[in-house]
Amino acid sequence: MMDRRVRLRDRDGRFGLSKDKAETPVGQLQWGGRFGAGPDAVMQAINVSIGFDQKLWREDITGSRAHAAMLGAQGILSAADVEAIDAGLAGIAAEIEAGKFTFVDALEDIHTNIEVRLTERIGDAARRLHTGRSRNDQVATDFRLWVRGAIDSVTAQVTDLMKAMAGRAAEHAASVMPGFTHLQTAQPVTFGHHLLAYVEMLSRDAGRLRDARARLNECPLGAAALAGTSFPINRHMTAAALGFDRPTANSLDSVSDRDFALEYLSALSILAMHLSRFAEEIIIWCSSPYKLISLTDAFTTGSSIMPQKRNPDAAELTRAKTGRIFGALLGLLTVMKGLPMAYAKDMQEDKEPVFDATEAISLCLAATAGMVRDMQADTARMAALAGSGFSTATDLADWLVRVLGMPFRDAHHVTGRIVKLAEDQNIDLPAVKLADMQAVEPRITEAVYQVLTVDASVASRTSFGGTAPSNVAAAAAKWLEILA
Ligand code: ARG
């Protein structure tokens, strides 16, 4: 039996440029005599993928079991061989699960590692498994299965975050806070309304993931190296066994398409962009000048020298990890750009960015859901800030239009003069004296004060999708029902 502990590096751990050969001539295992001398150590170092593609072991074994069963059903393999292969692969799965499997660099990738191990376990029958397929359609199948599973688990996390946000939105349907444009106080909104804005974004993110999954769900297995195969295989059977909707229609496309991974990374990038915006808002809301919310120790860290500090590190890292996720998308787009048909080894570089982005988004989603559940809103401070900065100026202008029949442009002008007056006296709008307002526009009456409070302002925003607490409570309840 071969030495399963082959190492690529020299004793100092360097990938040398010398002519040293790798310790085990992998070429002899895979391609026979043509590469009898074994690959140069550098060749192995650049070629090896087992360090990262071992993540695909479950998918690889599942795919091989489906392939073997189909070969048996089609009379291409004997029932005895199929039985031996199936039991052997199940045994390997148990070995890997138990941490008893040695992944060998010299065997390049997960496909060869498993196949060689299968040969060790069951002998000759293993050598028939690769009938009617190639590593090209094998890796395309494994990777689709992996991305499909990742889409499902990311979608579940998105749903959990939406639930957390909708729950807090229901709680804060009537809590007023300053609404901003340009990060300048614009008009009062409710905290619940603000949170539900993110629920809407996240629901589109989940939709994009669902769409990507639907397009991904075709099975490339049986496309073989690029041209299909002369064996009487049944691709519909393997597609169904692996939970795909149908086999892919063109063998060249089957082995060269990585759109599914790019679509997934695109959806993750937009999702990460949304999470980074919310993270930024948490950071702003927690900051000393704002203090609209606070987070507990569960999601903050202290400073080693400034005891008063509570830093929103989880939000900052959620904001930052967006970079790796965008990087993954840009990296894979660049790998695929200009690649001629069909398979090329370039495509082996598809996996690490996808794995890394998946780990990053999963952490970001968990951290964001945790912060949403953890955060405490200072509703008194929110209300106070909501009323500052002449935030009800639009309500005053609307009142002039509604009650006095003024054209909006004139009302805007009159309101501007009253705001200037308040500014000069260093007071907020509700504190401006009626006589002062009447000096600007004589028809203004006492009734105007009813619209100048923040509560009256938000309560009046009953247009569809507006921030009125009644709207927000209904929208939060609708989301909680959908997500239950
Ligand atoms: N490790 C390879 C990859 O991830 C598997 C396919 C190799 N195919 C080949 N013809 N060398 O792309």
Side-chain angles (χ1 to χ4, degrees), residues 48 51 55 124 127 155 197 207 227 249 278 300 321 345 364 373 398 422 431 434 438 472 477 480-481 483:
V48 68
K55 260 196 166 56
D124 261 2
R127 304 174 65 80
T155 307
F278 187 65
T300 53
K321 281 184 190 293
K345 201 58 176 273
C364 292
R373 294 190 166 103
D398 287 352
L434 183 59
Q438 285 171 338
V472 177
L480 287 172
E481 196 186 311
L483 297 166

Side-chain angles (χ1 to χ4, degrees), residues 49 53 108-111 134-136 139 258 343-345 347-348 350-351:
S49 59
D53 70 12
E108 199 180 316
D109 59 20
I110 187 63
H111 324 295
S134 139
R135 278 191 298 161
N136 295 351
V139 74
R258 293 296 181 274
Y343 177 86
K345 201 58 176 273
M347 290 158 74
Q348 178 165 285
D350 59 358
K351 294 168 201 65

